[in-house]
């Protein structure tokens, strides 16, 4: 006991073993009852407690109960009186099907002490099921040619009951042609056959309707029936016949897949299988039509199973054969003609069979550029095509040469410089409903011919070049444009030397058009070079253009002033007394340059305490105060500096000797030439009045020439820009602060003015608006030179 108490698991296992052994010893008793199927709830089955020898009053205290072994709740026991009764409806066929003995096993259990009793309740069969045939109607086909004694199997009935309740007897309705034969075989079971007693004649009766009855052995007996429909099969002596030998069908090519084309109907005067017809295709043309149609062999329906294309199949022919199922089979034939109707499902196609490009721009109107062919796979109006060109206004047109053949011809003159190529669109549209269209793009390039000469931006260029330029200096670049292309636009440049031999002065680069000065220019020798540059393209034949170049040589300050005095050895004598402002003499100087470079001024080089002064621009030497006799018997040398306004400033000096005497003796002038090593000019003895008259006359004449020249240029052509070297400048005009100057050298361009022998034969005008040049000969920004109030140039 101590061990059991300490090991509860062992204790529980021992108790279960004891109980099982007790049940085994006490469960040897068994009762057997029976009850009919379909018994209602509460039907008495047996007195279980009494039959087991148990007291009724001890059932409850001993916890009497019933356990069913997997048979549901068909039975129940009253634990108060020990009576077993039916708890729910019992269907033996559902519970046990065809098992001969159908039983329900129950266990009656007493817990105190534990005892088990086995009870078996047998369910008895009753005749509650009538015989049933598998089909309410059985069809038999018997050829009228079958001989008497022929047997035909029938399907028998079944009965879910067992025993005698399931034993069946068969009979048919009375007739003179058929009888039943039931054969029982232990190995193969029961078989039911229909036996022909006499020959059949389909012409007398083609169908026999007989009632087959099955009766079971129950009490009361139950029956089941089936209708026998016996068809007499005719001998196959008629072939199928179509109602038409030829069928004509019209079908649009856009018919959908599955469209019914036609339903064939063939008839056969025979009956039965001799009348059953199957349809099949015997011949088909064209062969590709076979993949597009489907024939139902039983119904004779021909349907579309693909997509028809009028352009591939326009007319099809199908031969159909109808075959009956007789023996031997017989056949009938027909022909189906299928016409495919066109729909506008194809757009026109434009193809270029020939294209002659590029087209020369000098091609005459009517030149054939391309040959086009237009095709449309549709027919009728769907295949009729009209063509047009886009965009409008182009110099081309379409000309119909034959049905659906066109020529693209030139309708107007061409100019490649305006339009280098044309993009054309040929549009084709059919006459279908709705119309379909397509287009084809063409690019017609225009080839160039040499029909444009090189042209310059302006007819004349004016270039300013300072003198003493370095040899080979680049002074200007001419550029001509040619709207042609390739070699027709390849321009080369050359000088026209018909009017002036320029090869020693100017050269032009044949490819770049750069102008070069080959040698230094001297303003004092040459003031203007005017020539023509010609531009020639490389076309065949070549075309030329020209431009006039005016090269003005700009003066540099490269000449010093030259002082001229009377040729006398005696000094100037001055008799005192002399009043203030008395003029002693005048210094004369000339400068071979022009403009500011030739504008001279005079200064006393050494400031003295003497009463002397020199005119800044006149060169006149005069006294600044009165001189008396006390200052006589003395001599002085005045050093006078002559400078121009050039940059850099060049100068010369002269010495003026002066002697003061107290009596009225002859006065002589002695001027010493420059001591600075600067070259002196020629001596002139003209009086001041003649010099002024000559200057005014020549200046007036030259000014008149300039005014006439400018007026003519402004009237004949538009105002042109003038060029300073490679850049653009303005017209050179005389300034109000300018001055006139003589040049002692001859000019090749400007004609001389006649005058006195001592006067100069050329006249130059200078202006403060002359550009300033760099040392290499290239033009820099222009700068206006204006003298200030003191006469200095700034």
């Amino acid at each position: 006991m101590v061990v059991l108490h300490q090991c509860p698991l062992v204790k529980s296992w021992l108790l279960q073993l004891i109980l099982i052994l007790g049940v085994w010893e006490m469960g040897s008793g068994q009762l057997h009852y029976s009850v009919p199927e379909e018994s209602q709830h509460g039907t008495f089955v047996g007195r279980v407690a009494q039959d087991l020898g148990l007291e009724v009053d001890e059932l409850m205290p001993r916890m009497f109960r019933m356990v069913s072994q997997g048979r549901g709740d068909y039975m129940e026991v009253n634990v108060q009186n020990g009576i077993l009764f039916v708890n729910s409806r019992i269907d033996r066929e559902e519970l046990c099907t065809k098992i001969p003995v159908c039983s329900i096993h129950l266990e009656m259990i007493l817990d105190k002490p534990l005892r088990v009793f086995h009870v078996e309740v047998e369910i008895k069969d009753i005749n509650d099921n009538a015989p049933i045939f598998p089909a309410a109607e059985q069809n038999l086909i018997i050829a009228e040619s079958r001989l008497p004694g022929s047997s035909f199997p029938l399907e028998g009935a079944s009965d879910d009951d067992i025993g005698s309740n399931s034993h069946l007897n068969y009979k048919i309705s009375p007739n003179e042609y058929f009888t039943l034969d039931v054969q029982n075989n232990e190995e193969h079971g029961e078989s039911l056959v229909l036996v022909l007693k006499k020959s059949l004649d389909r012409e007398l009766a083609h169908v026999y309707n007989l009632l087959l009855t099955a009766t079971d052995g129950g009490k009361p007996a139950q029956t089941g029936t089936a209708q026998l429909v016996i068809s007499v099969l005719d001998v196959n002596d008629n072939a199928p016949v179509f109602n038409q030998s030829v069928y004509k069908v019209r079908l649009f090519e856009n018919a959908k897949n599955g469209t019914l084309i036609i339903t064939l109907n063939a008839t056969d005067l025979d009956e039965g299988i001799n009348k059953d017809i199957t349809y099949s295709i015997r011949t088909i043309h064209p062969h590709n039509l076979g993949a597009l149609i489907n024939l139902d062999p039983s119904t004779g329906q021909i349907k579309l199973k693909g997509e028809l294309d009028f352009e591939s199949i326009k007319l099809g022919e199908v031969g159909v054969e109808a075959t009956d199922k007789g023996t031997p089979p017989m056949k009938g034939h027909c022909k189906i003609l299928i016409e495919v109707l066109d729909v506008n499902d194809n757009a026109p196609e434009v193809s270029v069979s020939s294209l002659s490009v590029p087209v020369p721009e000098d091609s005459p109107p009517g030149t054939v550029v391309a040959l086009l062919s237009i095709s449309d796979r549709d027919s009728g109006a769907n295949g009729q095509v009209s063509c047009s060109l886009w965009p409008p206004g182009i110099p081309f047109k379409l000309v119909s040469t034959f049905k659906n053949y066109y020529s693209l011809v030139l309708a107007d003159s061409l100019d490649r410089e305006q339009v280098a190529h044309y993009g054309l669109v040929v549009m084709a549209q059919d006459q279908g409903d709705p119309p379909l269209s397509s287009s084809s793009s063409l690019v017609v390039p225009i080839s160039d011919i040499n029909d444009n000469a090189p042209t310059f931006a302006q007819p004349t260029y004016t270039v300013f070049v300072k003198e003493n330029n370095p040899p080979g200096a680049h002074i200007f670049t001419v550029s001509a444009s040619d709207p042609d292309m390739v070699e027709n636009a390849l321009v080369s440049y050359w000088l026209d030397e018909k009017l002036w031999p320029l090869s020693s002065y100017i050269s032009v680069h044949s490819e770049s058009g750069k102008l070069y000065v080959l040698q230094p220019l001297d303003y004092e020798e040459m003031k203007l070079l005017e020539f023509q540059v010609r531009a020639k393209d490389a076309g065949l034949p070549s075309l030329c253009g020209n431009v006039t170049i005016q090269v003005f040589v700009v003066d540099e300050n490269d000449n010093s002033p030259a002082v001229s005095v009377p040729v006398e050895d005696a000094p100037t004598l001055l008799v005192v007394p002399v009043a203030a402002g008395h003029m002693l003499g005048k210094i004369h100087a000339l400068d071979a340059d022009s403009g500011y470079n030739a504008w001279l001024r005079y200064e006393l080089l050494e400031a003295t305490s003497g009463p002397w002064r020199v005119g800044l621009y006149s060169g006149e030497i005069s006294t600044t105060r009165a001189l008396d006799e006390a200052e006589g018997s003395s001599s002085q040398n005045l050093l006078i500096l002559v400078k121009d306004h050039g940059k850099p400033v060049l100068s010369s000096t002269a010495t003026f000797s002066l002697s003061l005497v107290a009596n009225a003796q002859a006065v002589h002038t002695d001027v010493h030439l420059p001591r600075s090593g600067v070259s002196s000019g020629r001596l002139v003895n003209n009086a001041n009045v003649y010099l002024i008259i000559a200057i005014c006359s020549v200046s007036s004449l030259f000014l008149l020439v300039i005014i006439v020249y400018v007026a003519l240029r402004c009237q004949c052509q538009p105002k042109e820009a003038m060029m300073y070297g490679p850049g653009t400048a303005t017209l050179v005009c005389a300034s109000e602060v300018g001055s006139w100057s003589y040049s002692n050298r001859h000019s090749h361009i400007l004609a001389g003015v006649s005058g006195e022998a001592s006067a100069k034969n050329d006249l130059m005008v200078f202006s403060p608006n002359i550009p300033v040049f760099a040392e290499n000969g290239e033009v820099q920004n222009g700068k206006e030179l204006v003298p200030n109030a003191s006469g200095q140039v700034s």
Side-chain angles (χ1 to χ4, degrees):
M1 294 298 293
V2 174
V3 174
L4 292 177
H5 179 73
Q6 292 177 353
C7 301
L9 294 177
V10 177
K11 180 180 179 181
S12 175
W13 181 78
L14 291 175
L15 289 176
Q16 291 180 3
L17 180 60
I18 295 172
L19 289 175
I20 292 174
L21 292 176
V23 171
W24 178 261
E25 293 176 355
M26 294 181 293
S28 58
Q30 182 174 351
L31 296 178
H32 182 82
Y33 299 102
S34 63
V35 62
E37 64 173 330
E38 303 295 339
S39 297
Q40 300 297 321
H41 174 73
T43 301
F44 175 80
V45 178
R47 299 181 182 275
V48 176
Q50 181 179 350
D51 294 338
L52 292 176
L54 300 175
E55 296 295 334
V56 174
D57 54 356
E58 66 178 351
L59 296 178
M60 293 292 291
R62 297 185 62 180
M63 299 181 67
F64 179 74
R65 56 191 175 88
M66 182 192 76
V67 177
S68 175
Q69 296 183 357
R71 292 293 183 175
D73 57 349
Y74 294 114
M75 299 294 171
E76 187 59 72
V77 64
N78 191 334
V79 296
Q80 295 180 354
N81 54 22
I83 295 175
L84 183 65
F85 60 91
V86 176
N87 186 44
S88 61
R89 174 181 171 273
I90 303 174
D91 186 356
R92 196 201 67 82
E93 290 75 27
E94 178 183 351
L95 185 63
C96 300
T97 63
K98 283 291 186 177
I99 299 176
V101 178
C102 182
S103 300
I104 298 176
H105 297 278
L106 305 174
E107 291 181 351
M108 302 299 171
I109 299 175
L110 291 174
D111 288 336
K112 296 179 180 181
L114 179 62
R115 295 189 64 182
V116 179
F117 302 94
H118 297 278
V119 178
E120 183 180 71
V121 179
E122 181 182 358
I123 308 301
K124 295 292 184 178
D125 180 48
I126 64 173
N127 193 21
D128 59 344
N129 292 283
I132 299 175
F133 288 94
E137 181 178 288
Q138 297 187 31
N139 295 312
L140 283 79
I141 299 175
I142 302 175
E144 61 177 340
S145 59
R146 296 297 295 269
L147 298 176
S150 300
S151 60
F152 307 96
L154 299 176
E155 293 185 9
S158 63
D159 196 321
D160 292 337
D161 296 324
I162 61 173
S164 60
N165 293 332
S166 63
H167 294 165
L168 302 179
N169 295 316
Y170 296 95
K171 65 178 181 178
I172 61 172
S173 54
N175 64 91
E176 57 178 321
Y177 292 98
F178 301 97
T179 185
L180 287 177
D181 182 16
V182 180
Q183 298 177 358
N184 289 317
N185 190 311
E186 293 182 359
E187 182 179 357
H188 300 290
E190 184 182 74
S191 63
L192 179 65
V193 296
L194 182 67
V195 180
L196 181 63
K197 293 191 297 183
K198 59 182 296 186
S199 298
L200 299 175
D201 187 354
R202 192 193 68 83
E203 285 69 27
L204 294 178
H206 61 281
V207 176
Y208 293 91
N209 292 310
L210 302 178
L211 184 62
L212 175 61
T213 304
T215 304
D216 63 19
K219 293 183 179 180
Q222 297 201 47
T223 61
T225 61
Q227 189 73 29
L228 293 180
V229 179
I230 302 171
S231 300
V232 181
L233 184 61
D234 185 32
V235 175
N236 191 24
D237 55 355
N238 292 284
V241 177
F242 289 95
N243 54 0
Q244 290 180 222
S245 60
V246 178
Y247 297 88
K248 293 184 178 180
V249 180
R250 305 179 71 187
L251 189 65
F252 284 101
E253 63 173 328
N254 62 347
K256 295 182 179 179
N257 189 11
T259 299
L260 178 64
I261 299 175
I262 191 173
T263 299
L264 300 176
N265 183 23
T267 59
D268 195 320
L269 297 178
D270 295 323
E271 294 293 334
I273 60 174
N274 293 335
K275 191 177 183 180
D276 293 341
I277 297 174
T278 58
Y279 300 91
S280 62
I281 295 177
R282 182 170 57 91
T283 60
I284 189 167
H285 181 78
H287 295 292
N288 55 349
L289 180 60
L292 301 177
I293 61 174
N294 179 58
L295 172 61
D296 191 319
S298 59
T299 62
Q301 290 184 343
I302 298 179
K303 293 183 179 181
L304 187 65
K305 68 173 183 178
E307 294 183 359
L308 280 177
D309 188 2
F310 172 82
E311 289 69 36
S312 299
I313 302 175
K314 295 179 175 57
L315 184 64
E317 180 179 312
V318 181
V320 177
E321 185 176 72
T323 305
D324 60 24
K325 297 180 180 180
T327 305
M330 303 192 72
K331 301 178 179 181
H333 304 88
C334 74
K335 183 186 295 184
I336 304 168
L337 300 178
I338 302 176
E339 181 183 0
V340 181
L341 301 179
D342 181 44
V343 296
N344 194 24
D345 59 345
N346 290 281
E349 296 179 359
V350 181
S351 61
V352 180
S353 57
S354 177
L355 181 62
S356 299
V357 291
V359 180
E361 62 177 323
D362 61 345
S363 299
T367 301
V368 178
V369 177
L371 298 179
L372 308 174
S373 61
I374 314 296
S375 62
D376 194 318
R377 300 177 62 192
D378 297 321
S379 63
N382 298 331
Q384 295 179 2
V385 181
S386 59
C387 292
S388 60
L389 273 180
W390 188 90
I394 57 177
F396 298 94
K397 64 180 179 179
L398 286 175
V399 177
S400 177
T401 57
F402 191 66
K403 180 182 179 182
N404 291 340
Y405 287 91
Y406 293 86
S407 295
L408 179 66
V409 300
L410 188 62
D412 203 350
S413 58
L414 301 174
D415 188 354
R416 190 207 62 81
E417 286 69 38
Q418 293 185 3
V419 181
H421 66 275
Y422 290 89
L424 311 179
V425 179
V426 180
M427 296 183 293
Q429 184 177 24
D430 59 28
Q431 305 299 320
D433 186 17
L436 298 179
S437 62
S438 64
S439 62
S440 178
S441 298
L442 296 176
V443 177
V444 180
I446 309 302
S447 62
D448 183 52
I449 63 169
N450 194 23
D451 57 347
N452 291 279
T455 57
F456 293 89
Q458 57 191 61
T460 303
Y461 291 97
T462 301
V463 183
F464 290 86
V465 179
K466 68 179 181 177
E467 63 175 332
N468 301 322
N469 57 278
H474 171 222
I475 62 172
F476 189 62
T477 299
V478 293
S479 178
S481 61
D482 194 322
D484 295 323
M485 60 184 301
V486 195
E487 66 274 1
N488 295 333
L490 185 62
V491 179
S492 60
Y493 304 92
W494 51 284
L495 292 176
D496 187 358
E497 299 185 8
K498 294 180 180 180
L499 300 179
W500 184 262
L502 301 172
S503 58
S504 61
Y505 292 96
I506 300 293
S507 70
V508 61
H509 192 278
S510 61
E511 295 181 359
S512 64
K514 292 184 177 181
L515 292 174
Y516 299 94
V517 179
L518 302 180
Q519 60 180 334
L521 300 178
D522 189 354
Y523 174 80
E524 288 72 34
E525 293 183 358
M526 181 181 297
K527 298 176 177 57
L528 172 64
L529 286 175
E530 184 172 359
F531 55 90
Q532 284 191 339
V533 176
R534 309 202 71 180
K536 178 175 67 174
D537 59 30
L540 291 176
S542 61
L543 301 177
C544 298
N546 56 67
V547 65
T548 300
I549 306 296
Q550 292 177 337
V551 179
F552 284 91
V553 182
V554 180
D555 181 44
E556 272 194 306
N557 192 23
D558 58 347
N559 291 283
S560 299
V563 180
S564 61
V565 295
V567 184
E568 292 183 3
D569 296 333
T572 300
L573 297 178
L574 180 60
V575 179
V576 291
V578 176
H582 178 75
M583 187 179 70
L584 304 178
K586 185 175 183 178
I587 298 297
H588 297 279
L590 293 177
D591 196 318
D593 297 321
S594 65
Y596 280 95
N597 297 327
W599 187 16
L600 305 179
R601 60 181 178 180
Y602 305 86
E603 299 176 2
L604 287 175
L605 184 61
E606 295 180 358
T608 62
S609 58
W612 321 111
R613 67 178 178 185
V614 61
L616 181 61
Y617 294 108
S618 64
E620 295 178 350
I621 301 173
S622 60
T623 59
T624 58
R625 59 182 176 82
L627 299 178
D628 54 18
E629 295 180 355
E631 295 176 329
S633 301
S634 64
S635 62
Q636 294 186 17
N637 291 328
L638 301 181
L639 185 61
I640 298 174
L641 177 65
V642 183
K643 298 191 298 184
D644 58 24
H645 284 76
K647 289 186 178 180
V649 176
L650 298 180
S651 62
S652 298
T653 59
T655 302
F656 188 84
S657 298
L658 179 64
S659 297
L660 301 178
V661 296
N663 52 25
Q665 299 178 356
V667 179
H668 300 278
T669 301
D670 183 13
V671 180
H672 297 276
L673 296 180
R675 297 170 296 174
S676 59
V678 181
S679 62
S680 62
R682 293 181 303 169
L683 298 178
V684 293
N685 297 317
N686 296 331
N688 291 338
V689 61
Y690 298 109
L691 178 61
I692 294 174
I693 294 174
I695 291 175
C696 293
S697 300
V698 175
S699 298
S700 300
L701 180 61
F702 186 78
L703 181 60
L704 180 61
V705 172
I706 293 298
I707 294 174
V708 173
Y709 175 76
V710 173
L712 292 176
R713 290 294 298 269
C714 295
Q715 182 178 2
C716 296
Q717 60 185 24
K719 183 177 180 180
E720 300 171 353
M722 300 186 70
M723 305 304 297
Y724 292 87
T728 302
T730 58
L731 287 172
V732 177
C733 300
S735 171
E736 61 182 0
V737 298
S739 65
W740 298 96
S741 174
Y742 283 111
S743 173
N744 60 352
R745 301 198 180 180
H746 178 70
S747 172
H748 291 287
I749 302 302
L750 297 179
V753 179
S754 62
E756 296 180 3
S758 60
K760 303 304 172 211
N761 59 358
D762 56 349
L763 182 65
M764 294 300 294
V765 62
F766 76 93
S767 169
N769 200 21
I770 298 298
V772 179
F773 293 87
E775 292 300 326
N776 61 357
E778 299 293 339
V779 177
Q780 303 298 319
N781 293 331
K783 180 179 180 183
E784 185 176 4
L785 306 177
V786 181
N788 54 25
S790 63
Q792 300 294 327
V793 179
S794 58

